Amino acid sequence: MRHSKSSSSSSTLICDNDDRSSSAAVLREIMAREQSLVTQLRALVLPALQLAGGERAEVVAQMFNCILDCSAKAMAELKLIRLDPSRADDALPVVVDDKRRVRKIFSGDGDNAKPNRQQRKRRRLADDSVTLETPVPHYDGHQWRKYGQKLINNAAHPRSYYKCAYKQEQDCRATKTVQQYQEEDGGTDAPAMYTVVYYGQHTCNPAGNDTDAAAVVKTESTDGLSSGGDADADELSRSDSQCSNISVTCTSVVVDHHQRTASIESNSKLLDVAADLTNAEVNTYDQLYDVAAFSPFDLDTDWAIDAHGHGLPKYGDW
DNA sequence: GTCATTTGACCGAC
DNA sequence: GTCGGTCAAATGAC
């Protein structure tokens, strides 16, 4: 995480338009890195928690989803500020889209529209996306269905296209593309790296439960405190404290100086979580990145290989 | 038989 | 005209 950029930009978000756009760009970069780290950390932490006890893994999984969701929403808000600087003081989220795309979609209702074809191509602006770089592109907490693959110009590997597995059931329009950009290096144990671009927000609810992760975390926290009566009580209580702090962040997505500070504070808790679970020294975000980038695929028999030859940890269905 | 993936074709954006 | 995103029939795995 680029602390220096974060701190230097934190006081200039609401300023003149140029400074605001610049700060928003810096924040977007920071948050994209944050999302990448959280995604990789989740792939590392959850299997370890699953071995220790499934219930806590479920809670942590919900927390990770909550954090990623908050980041995505904050990113979207930053984009709105960039597109319309007058919105910097407006906390209400609105949907923005490419004007041409909107016109095309609505004109599809016309008599000249070809059946089932008017929305076939919906080119999306880069502003409608979140990009991550990760060694575990297929492990992000959502279920996806591959619907296409294409060779892209000047790319060594094809790009795969995925849509949410609940698109038909719940009309969830989230999609993503996955493209490998770095070969696996057996000499240095460096895993293959992929660029994952997410489009749109998930509107599905796969478990059919209340998706208010903050509320779920709060409930678990109460249970944990009341039931912890042995040597694990202190550890449980400490984890619950982390849950509570993160849930506070997750309940708000307004992007201002206050929120960014809160977000960074919560993410610093991830360093503690990573250190506890990996028995490694994780005091900086660079170390967190190093730990999260470690690939245990070849060491753990509880890892499966998916249809694409990628390692997937087994800890239940998402 | 069912479901997910593959793959060629289609189509809009550039 | 080229490129890239999406569709849908074909194919394969179970």
Side-chain angles (χ1 to χ4, degrees), chain A residues 1 3 37 264 267-268 271 283-289:
Chain A
M1 191 68 70
H3 289 289
L37 288 171
I264 290 171
N267 289 336
S268 69
L271 300 179
N283 296 320
T284 69
Y285 285 100
D286 284 341
Q287 289 173 332
L288 171 62
Y289 184 83

Side-chain angles (χ1 to χ4, degrees), chain A residues 150 192 269:
Chain A
K150 278 201 78 84
K269 303 292 184 184

Side-chain angles (χ1 to χ4, degrees), chain A residues 128-264:
Chain A
D128 190 33
S129 66
V130 174
T131 302
L132 299 177
E133 294 179 353
T134 173
V136 285
H138 303 291
Y139 183 65
D140 55 17
H142 291 283
Q143 292 185 329
W144 300 94
R145 181 153 302 160
K146 188 174 182 178
Y147 68 88
Q149 175 173 304
K150 278 201 78 84
L151 285 171
I152 305 301
N153 272 0
N154 301 319
H157 303 277
R159 178 177 299 168
S160 297
Y161 299 86
Y162 297 84
K163 64 179 70 174
C164 178
Y166 298 92
K167 176 179 173 60
Q168 288 195 337
E169 296 176 24
Q170 302 182 25
D171 195 31
C172 180
R173 300 184 181 183
T175 64
K176 75 171 183 179
T177 63
V178 175
Q179 186 162 16
Q180 183 176 349
Y181 70 90
Q182 176 178 300
E183 300 287 348
E184 183 173 4
D185 188 343
T188 61
D189 286 336
M193 292 297 291
Y194 301 82
T195 298
V196 185
V197 184
Y198 294 91
Y199 299 94
Q201 296 289 315
H202 280 279
T203 58
C204 59
N205 181 12
N209 298 325
D210 185 1
T211 56
D212 188 342
V216 173
V217 169
K218 185 177 180 180
T219 300
E220 291 289 339
S221 174
T222 302
D223 292 344
L225 287 171
S226 61
S227 60
D230 53 17
D232 292 333
D234 181 55
E235 169 69 17
L236 197 55
S237 175
R238 190 154 53 90
S239 296
D240 289 333
S241 175
Q242 292 163 357
C243 293
S244 187
N245 285 336
I246 293 174
S247 71
V248 170
T249 303
C250 292
T251 57
S252 178
V253 296
V254 179
V255 179
D256 58 18
H257 174 68
H258 221 39
Q259 296 296 331
R260 290 199 308 278
T261 301
S263 177
I264 290 171

Side-chain angles (χ1 to χ4, degrees), chain A residues 71-93:
Chain A
S71 297
K73 289 176 179 175
M75 290 273 283
E77 187 70 15
L78 283 170
K79 290 164 187 170
L80 295 183
I81 292 173
R82 189 168 69 109
L83 292 173
D84 181 6
S86 65
R87 283 185 40 80
D89 298 327
D90 182 2
L92 292 177

